Protein backbone atom coordinates (compact mmCIF):
# COMPACT_ATOMS: atom_id res chain seq x y z
CA UNK A 1 0.00 0.00 0.00
CA UNK A 2 2.79 2.40 0.98
CA UNK A 3 4.71 1.55 -2.18
CA UNK A 4 1.62 2.29 -4.27
CA UNK A 5 1.20 5.68 -2.57
CA UNK A 6 4.84 6.55 -3.25
CA UNK A 7 4.49 5.58 -6.91
CA UNK A 8 1.31 7.66 -7.19
CA UNK A 9 3.03 10.60 -5.51
CA UNK A 10 5.98 10.34 -7.89
CA UNK A 11 3.61 10.23 -10.89
CA UNK A 12 1.79 13.33 -9.67
CA UNK A 13 5.09 15.19 -9.20
CA UNK A 14 6.25 14.25 -12.68
CA UNK A 15 2.95 15.48 -14.10
CA UNK A 16 3.32 18.76 -12.21
CA UNK A 17 6.85 19.27 -13.51
CA UNK A 18 5.65 18.57 -17.05
CA UNK A 19 2.84 21.09 -16.64
CA UNK A 20 5.32 23.66 -15.31
CA UNK A 21 7.52 23.14 -18.36
CA UNK A 22 4.52 23.67 -20.63
CA UNK A 23 3.81 26.97 -18.88
CA UNK A 24 7.35 28.28 -19.32
CA UNK A 25 7.33 31.57 -21.20
CA UNK A 26 9.44 32.07 -24.34
CA UNK A 27 11.72 34.42 -22.36
CA UNK A 28 12.48 31.65 -19.85
CA UNK A 29 13.34 29.21 -22.61
CA UNK A 30 16.10 31.52 -23.85
CA UNK A 31 17.48 32.05 -20.35
CA UNK A 32 21.00 30.72 -19.81
CA UNK A 33 23.66 31.26 -17.17
CA UNK A 34 26.56 30.76 -19.60
CA UNK A 35 27.92 32.92 -22.40
CA UNK A 36 30.82 32.77 -24.86
CA UNK A 37 30.79 28.95 -24.52
CA UNK A 38 32.60 28.77 -21.19
CA UNK A 39 31.95 31.97 -19.20
CA UNK A 40 29.23 32.61 -16.65
CA UNK A 41 26.94 35.51 -17.47
CA UNK A 42 28.25 37.42 -14.43
CA UNK A 43 31.83 36.98 -15.63
CA UNK A 44 30.88 37.93 -19.17
CA UNK A 45 29.05 41.07 -18.02
CA UNK A 46 31.98 42.12 -15.82
CA UNK A 47 34.44 41.64 -18.69
CA UNK A 48 32.13 43.52 -21.08
CA UNK A 49 31.64 46.38 -18.62
CA UNK A 50 35.38 46.72 -17.99
CA UNK A 51 36.12 46.61 -21.74
CA UNK A 52 33.59 49.35 -22.54
CA UNK A 53 34.80 51.38 -19.57
CA UNK A 54 38.43 51.21 -20.73
CA UNK A 55 37.51 52.22 -24.30
CA UNK A 56 35.48 55.21 -23.15
CA UNK A 57 38.16 56.18 -20.63
CA UNK A 58 40.77 56.25 -23.42
CA UNK A 59 38.44 58.33 -25.61
CA UNK A 60 37.80 60.70 -22.71
CA UNK A 61 41.52 61.05 -22.08
CA UNK A 62 42.17 61.87 -25.76
CA UNK A 63 39.36 64.45 -25.81
CA UNK A 64 40.55 66.11 -22.61
CA UNK A 65 44.09 66.24 -23.98
CA UNK A 66 42.80 67.82 -27.19
CA UNK A 67 40.83 70.39 -25.20
CA UNK A 68 43.86 71.28 -23.12
CA UNK A 69 46.02 71.86 -26.24
CA UNK A 70 43.68 72.73 -29.14
CA UNK A 71 46.45 74.07 -31.39
CA UNK A 72 48.21 70.72 -31.54
CA UNK A 73 45.16 68.46 -31.99
CA UNK A 74 42.80 70.67 -34.00
CA UNK A 75 42.11 69.30 -37.52
CA UNK A 76 41.18 71.88 -40.10
CA UNK A 77 38.91 71.50 -43.08
CA UNK A 78 41.88 71.74 -45.45
CA UNK A 79 43.51 68.71 -43.85
CA UNK A 80 40.39 66.57 -44.24
CA UNK A 81 39.07 67.99 -47.53
CA UNK A 82 35.78 68.96 -45.97
CA UNK A 83 33.78 72.16 -45.87
CA UNK A 84 33.57 72.36 -42.07
CA UNK A 85 35.84 71.60 -39.19
CA UNK A 86 35.33 68.10 -37.90
CA UNK A 87 35.08 68.94 -34.23
CA UNK A 88 35.08 72.33 -32.54
CA UNK A 89 35.42 72.96 -28.82
CA UNK A 90 31.67 72.71 -28.16
CA UNK A 91 31.39 69.33 -29.84
CA UNK A 92 34.47 68.11 -28.01
CA UNK A 93 32.93 69.13 -24.69
CA UNK A 94 29.75 67.24 -25.55
CA UNK A 95 31.75 64.18 -26.61
CA UNK A 96 33.74 64.36 -23.37
CA UNK A 97 30.54 64.50 -21.31
CA UNK A 98 29.13 61.49 -23.19
CA UNK A 99 32.35 59.54 -22.66
CA UNK A 100 32.30 60.37 -18.94
CA UNK A 101 28.68 59.25 -18.71
CA UNK A 102 29.54 56.00 -20.48
CA UNK A 103 32.40 55.37 -18.04
CA UNK A 104 29.93 55.76 -15.16
CA UNK A 105 27.32 53.50 -16.77
CA UNK A 106 29.88 50.78 -17.52
CA UNK A 107 31.27 51.07 -14.01
CA UNK A 108 27.76 50.66 -12.59
CA UNK A 109 27.19 47.52 -14.67
CA UNK A 110 30.51 46.03 -13.56
CA UNK A 111 29.77 46.81 -9.91
CA UNK A 112 26.22 45.49 -10.18
CA UNK A 113 27.33 42.19 -11.70
CA UNK A 114 30.10 41.77 -9.13
CA UNK A 115 28.05 42.72 -6.07
CA UNK A 116 24.78 41.11 -7.28
CA UNK A 117 22.93 44.44 -7.60
CA UNK A 118 20.45 43.99 -10.43
CA UNK A 119 19.34 47.63 -10.61
CA UNK A 120 22.87 48.79 -11.39
CA UNK A 121 22.91 46.71 -14.59
CA UNK A 122 19.79 48.30 -16.12
CA UNK A 123 21.43 51.55 -17.42
CA UNK A 124 24.05 49.57 -19.33
CA UNK A 125 21.37 47.33 -20.83
CA UNK A 126 19.37 50.41 -21.88
CA UNK A 127 22.49 51.79 -23.57
CA UNK A 128 22.85 48.49 -25.45
CA UNK A 129 19.26 48.74 -26.67
CA UNK A 130 19.82 52.33 -27.81
CA UNK A 131 23.05 51.41 -29.60
CA UNK A 132 21.40 48.42 -31.29
CA UNK A 133 18.49 50.59 -32.45
CA UNK A 134 20.85 53.17 -33.98
CA UNK A 135 22.75 50.51 -35.92
CA UNK A 136 19.47 48.98 -37.08
CA UNK A 137 18.33 52.40 -38.33
CA UNK A 138 21.60 52.72 -40.27
CA UNK A 139 20.92 49.37 -41.94
CA UNK A 140 17.36 50.41 -42.80
CA UNK A 141 18.53 53.74 -44.22
CA UNK A 142 21.04 51.93 -46.47
CA UNK A 143 18.27 49.65 -47.78
CA UNK A 144 15.92 52.58 -48.39
CA UNK A 145 18.57 54.95 -49.77
CA UNK A 146 21.37 52.79 -51.28
CA UNK A 147 23.03 55.79 -52.95
CA UNK A 148 24.10 57.11 -49.54
CA UNK A 149 26.99 54.62 -49.54
CA UNK A 150 28.47 56.14 -52.70
CA UNK A 151 27.92 59.65 -51.33
CA UNK A 152 29.75 58.70 -48.17
CA UNK A 153 32.68 57.29 -50.14
CA UNK A 154 32.99 60.53 -52.11
CA UNK A 155 33.28 62.51 -48.88
CA UNK A 156 36.23 60.45 -47.65
CA UNK A 157 39.71 62.01 -48.01
CA UNK A 158 41.80 61.07 -51.03
CA UNK A 159 44.41 59.30 -48.88
CA UNK A 160 41.84 56.93 -47.39
CA UNK A 161 43.08 53.31 -47.81
CA UNK A 162 41.55 51.39 -50.73
CA UNK A 163 39.14 54.22 -51.54
CA UNK A 164 39.47 53.79 -55.31
CA UNK A 165 39.07 50.00 -55.16
CA UNK A 166 35.94 50.29 -53.01
CA UNK A 167 34.45 53.01 -55.22
CA UNK A 168 35.02 50.82 -58.30
CA UNK A 169 32.57 48.20 -56.99
CA UNK A 170 29.02 48.19 -58.30
CA UNK A 171 26.36 49.87 -56.18
CA UNK A 172 24.51 46.59 -55.50
CA UNK A 173 27.66 44.75 -54.46
CA UNK A 174 28.71 47.64 -52.26
CA UNK A 175 25.33 47.83 -50.53
CA UNK A 176 25.25 44.07 -49.94
CA UNK A 177 28.76 44.16 -48.47
CA UNK A 178 27.86 46.99 -46.13
CA UNK A 179 24.62 45.28 -45.09
CA UNK A 180 26.48 42.02 -44.43
CA UNK A 181 29.00 43.88 -42.29
CA UNK A 182 26.29 45.74 -40.36
CA UNK A 183 24.28 42.51 -39.98
CA UNK A 184 27.30 40.81 -38.40
CA UNK A 185 27.71 43.72 -36.00
CA UNK A 186 24.00 43.62 -35.11
CA UNK A 187 24.14 39.87 -34.45
CA UNK A 188 27.14 40.32 -32.15
CA UNK A 189 25.49 43.21 -30.32
CA UNK A 190 22.28 41.18 -29.91
CA UNK A 191 24.29 38.34 -28.37
CA UNK A 192 25.94 40.74 -25.92
CA UNK A 193 22.52 42.16 -25.05
CA UNK A 194 21.28 38.64 -24.31
CA UNK A 195 24.28 38.01 -22.05
CA UNK A 196 23.65 41.18 -20.04
CA UNK A 197 19.93 40.45 -19.82
CA UNK A 198 20.59 36.91 -18.60
CA UNK A 199 22.99 38.33 -16.03
CA UNK A 200 20.29 40.73 -14.85
CA UNK A 201 17.81 37.86 -14.50
CA UNK A 202 20.38 35.72 -12.71
CA UNK A 203 21.24 38.49 -10.25
CA UNK A 204 17.54 39.25 -9.69
CA UNK A 205 16.89 35.58 -8.98
CA UNK A 206 19.77 35.37 -6.53
CA UNK A 207 18.35 38.32 -4.64
CA UNK A 208 15.08 36.53 -3.86
CA UNK A 209 14.76 34.81 -0.50
CA UNK A 210 13.08 31.63 -1.75
CA UNK A 211 13.62 30.45 -5.34
CA UNK A 212 12.34 28.25 -7.97
CA UNK A 213 12.21 24.54 -7.51
CA UNK A 214 10.69 21.88 -5.28
CA UNK A 215 11.72 18.35 -6.08
CA UNK A 216 10.26 15.33 -4.35
CA UNK A 217 12.40 12.20 -4.26
CA UNK A 218 10.86 9.29 -2.35
CA UNK A 219 10.01 10.78 1.05
CA UNK A 220 12.49 13.70 0.99
CA UNK A 221 11.67 17.19 -0.25
CA UNK A 222 14.65 19.25 -1.33
CA UNK A 223 14.12 23.01 -1.18
CA UNK A 224 16.60 25.17 -3.12
CA UNK A 225 16.90 28.76 -2.04
CA UNK A 226 19.31 31.65 -2.36
CA UNK A 227 20.69 30.84 1.09
CA UNK A 228 21.41 27.22 0.35
CA UNK A 229 19.76 23.77 0.14
CA UNK A 230 17.95 22.01 2.94
CA UNK A 231 16.36 18.56 3.07
CA UNK A 232 13.02 18.01 4.81
CA UNK A 233 11.84 14.44 5.39
CA UNK A 234 8.13 13.79 5.17
Amino acid sequence: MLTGQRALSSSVNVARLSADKMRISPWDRWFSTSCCVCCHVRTGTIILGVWYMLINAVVLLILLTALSDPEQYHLTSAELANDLDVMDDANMCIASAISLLMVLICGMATYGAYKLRAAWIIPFFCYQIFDFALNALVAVSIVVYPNTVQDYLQQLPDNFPYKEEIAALSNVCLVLTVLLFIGSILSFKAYLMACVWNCYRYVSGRGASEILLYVTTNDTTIVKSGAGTCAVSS
Side-chain angles (χ1 to χ4, degrees):
M1 183 67 180
L2 183 59
T3 304
Q5 290 179 351
R6 290 180 179 178
L8 180 60
S9 177
S10 299
S11 301
V12 171
N13 290 326
V14 170
R16 288 178 179 175
L17 290 175
S18 301
D20 291 338
K21 290 181 179 179
M22 293 295 293
R23 290 195 297 266
I24 293 176
S25 65
W27 292 104
D28 293 331
R29 293 175 184 175
W30 289 99
F31 175 70
S32 175
T33 57
S34 63
C35 65
C36 299
V37 181
C38 59
C39 291
H40 194 275
V41 287
R42 279 186 65 202
T43 306
T45 302
I46 292 173
I47 294 174
L48 185 63
V50 172
W51 174 250
Y52 272 78
M53 186 165 52
L54 289 177
I55 291 177
N56 286 278
V58 171
V59 173
L60 178 62
L61 181 61
I62 293 174
L63 291 173
L64 292 178
T65 305
L67 283 174
S68 63
D69 192 1
E71 296 296 331
Q72 181 178 355
Y73 294 95
H74 185 70
L75 297 177
T76 62
S77 58
E79 293 173 336
L80 293 174
N82 204 341
D83 294 334
L84 299 174
D85 290 345
V86 170
M87 186 172 290
D88 55 14
D89 291 342
N91 290 332
M92 293 181 68
C93 290
I94 295 174
S96 300
I98 294 175
S99 298
L100 179 59
L101 179 62
M102 284 303 307
V103 170
L104 294 176
I105 291 175
C106 297
M108 289 174 60
T110 304
Y111 177 82
Y114 180 73
K115 291 292 186 178
L116 298 178
R117 306 289 179 85
W120 292 63
I121 305 176
I122 295 178
F124 184 69
F125 182 70
C126 293
Y127 157 74
Q128 287 185 302
I129 295 176
F130 179 73
D131 183 52
F132 183 86
L134 285 181
N135 285 273
L137 288 176
V138 171
V140 172
S141 65
I142 292 175
V143 174
V144 177
Y145 304 103
N147 293 329
T148 55
V149 179
Q150 291 288 350
D151 296 338
Y152 177 76
L153 286 176
Q154 294 175 2
Q155 295 176 4
L156 292 176
D158 294 333
N159 57 355
F160 188 82
Y162 304 105
K163 178 183 178 180
E164 295 181 358
E165 290 79 359
I166 297 174
L169 296 174
S170 63
N171 195 26
V172 176
C173 181
L174 190 61
V175 169
L176 290 178
T177 303
V178 173
L179 287 179
L180 181 62
F181 178 72
I182 295 178
S184 301
I185 294 177
L186 288 176
S187 300
F188 182 68
K189 288 180 179 293
Y191 181 76
L192 295 180
M193 286 173 56
C195 293
V196 175
W197 175 248
N198 287 335
C199 178
Y200 169 77
R201 294 190 59 188
Y202 172 80
V203 172
S204 299
R206 283 292 298 268
S209 57
E210 292 288 334
I211 299 181
L212 290 185
L213 191 58
Y214 294 87
V215 180
T216 302
T217 306
N218 294 332
D219 293 331
T220 303
T221 301
I222 300 174
V223 181
K224 292 185 179 180
S225 65
T229 303
C230 60
V232 180
S233 298
S234 59

